[in-house]
Amino acid sequence: MQFRAGGDPVPAGWTLLVLNVAWYVIVESATGRSAAGLLRAGAMLPVLVQRGQVFRILSAMFVHVSPVHILVNMISLWTLFIVERLLTTPFFIVLYVISGAIGNLLSMPFLPNAVSGGASGAIFGLFGAMLALAFMGQFPAFVRNQLLIVLAVNVVIDIANLGTIGWIAHLGGMISGALLTLLFVRYARHRAFGLAFAPSVVLQRH
């Protein structure tokens, strides 16, 4: 596997961060942040998806219910920009969208009457990508251990907030991200593509 130096731009990461913030500040300010307002902004409600409003599977990834919600998610997204450097911008976009969509789809049977939203499923997909790379030996052991500690903390938070956090979306996103990354790396190795690995960036991000 051939690696290149770090410091590459992350256009998709910054674009997604700006879109999330703009959605919260502009769209949700216009629609309101009540349950009805969040639905107007594109939040998930399984019964509406079942009635044909499938766009919500994607639009819900940009809807956040509070300042703390979007702040935590955007900080998490920012710390995972490294995935774009490691796995290329096109794959980063695919990974983010598919992980978030699968997370939302899997959460539907568990939250049939809940209005929900957030980028957590997509962000956990990026986190799953990092875990997959760590277990493939792309990072030093201490980075892998740090990732496992972060995962453990998130599991505890999810368990402590079962009624308010869509843990199924988190789990679905993470597993999707890990599997997609495994497939991509195998394909990249087969096609002699290079991953953009930068140990210095890893040390700065963790």
Side-chain angles (χ1 to χ4, degrees), residues 20-199:
N20 273 282
V21 173
W23 200 288
Y24 183 79
V25 173
I26 299 172
V27 176
E28 292 183 44
S29 292
T31 62
R33 295 189 178 92
S34 63
L38 293 175
L39 285 175
R40 288 192 293 269
M44 278 284 292
L45 182 61
V47 66
L48 295 182
V49 175
Q50 292 163 359
R51 291 175 182 173
Q53 296 183 18
V54 293
F55 67 87
R56 294 182 182 278
I57 294 169
L58 298 179
S59 63
M61 287 189 276
F62 296 94
V63 178
H64 291 82
V65 302
S66 71
V68 172
H69 188 204
I70 191 168
L71 177 63
V72 170
N73 273 354
M74 293 306 98
I75 290 174
S76 298
L77 174 59
W78 176 71
T79 63
L80 290 165
F81 280 1
I82 185 175
V83 175
E84 184 172 359
R85 293 191 178 100
L86 298 176
L87 299 175
T88 75
T89 294
F91 182 74
F92 179 87
I93 295 170
V94 170
L95 180 68
Y96 186 95
V97 172
I98 291 180
S99 297
I102 290 177
N104 284 338
L105 282 170
L106 291 178
S107 69
M108 287 176 59
F110 297 89
L111 300 168
N113 302 309
V115 175
S116 61
S120 298
I123 290 168
F124 266 78
L126 302 178
F127 184 69
M130 290 291 288
L131 281 175
L133 291 173
F135 279 100
M136 284 188 285
Q138 301 296 337
F139 304 128
F142 78 91
V143 174
R144 181 198 62 213
N145 294 337
Q146 287 178 347
L147 289 169
L148 290 173
I149 290 171
V150 172
L151 175 60
V153 170
N154 277 278
V155 168
V156 170
I157 292 172
D158 281 357
I159 292 173
N161 296 273
L162 285 177
T164 58
I165 291 181
W167 64 274
I168 289 293
H170 293 183
L171 180 62
M174 185 178 68
I175 293 174
S176 300
L179 291 176
L180 285 169
T181 300
L182 288 170
L183 291 172
F184 176 77
V185 170
R186 288 182 181 277
Y187 177 74
R189 183 180 290 119
H190 177 69
R191 299 281 298 187
F193 290 162
L195 296 182
F197 180 57

